[in-house]
Amino acid sequence: MVVDRTVLALLGRGVDLRVDESGRLDDPTRKLLAEKVFERLDGEEPYEGKRQKLRTIVQLQARHLATFLRRERPTYKPWVGRW
């Protein structure tokens, strides 16, 4: 969700995402994408009654899933972010 939304937003704004001769993203494009993904991870979303940074939500969800898989939690409720 974080990467997809970032890439689609850049494309929607007409940003030219360039690839090199081997078909990989070129250095300036990779730097831009990394910068924008980190900005997105620092963005806040509503989660469990308050606003949390997206990077925190991802970490908490991973922990919730781990406790469920270890059978320390009876259920796992996925978080669905907004688009």
Side-chain angles (χ1 to χ4, degrees), residues 52-69:
Q52 299 271 0
K53 286 188 177 189
L54 201 47
R55 68 176 65 244
T56 302
I57 295 169
V58 171
Q59 183 180 36
L60 290 171
Q61 281 299 113
R63 288 179 180 169
H64 290 328
L65 180 59
T67 58
F68 172 72
L69 293 173

Side-chain angles (χ1 to χ4, degrees), residues 13-54:
R13 291 185 198 123
V15 174
D16 189 19
L17 303 179
R18 297 182 180 264
V19 294
D20 60 20
E21 57 279 345
S22 64
R24 296 181 179 179
L25 295 172
D26 67 10
D27 285 340
T29 300
R30 282 190 289 131
K31 285 182 182 182
L32 174 66
L33 281 174
E35 177 184 311
K36 295 299 182 183
V37 166
F38 284 127
E39 284 177 15
R40 178 73 184 118
L41 284 169
D42 285 332
E44 293 185 344
E45 294 283 335
Y47 180 76
E48 294 185 347
K50 55 186 173 179
R51 295 193 63 79
Q52 299 271 0
K53 286 188 177 189
L54 201 47

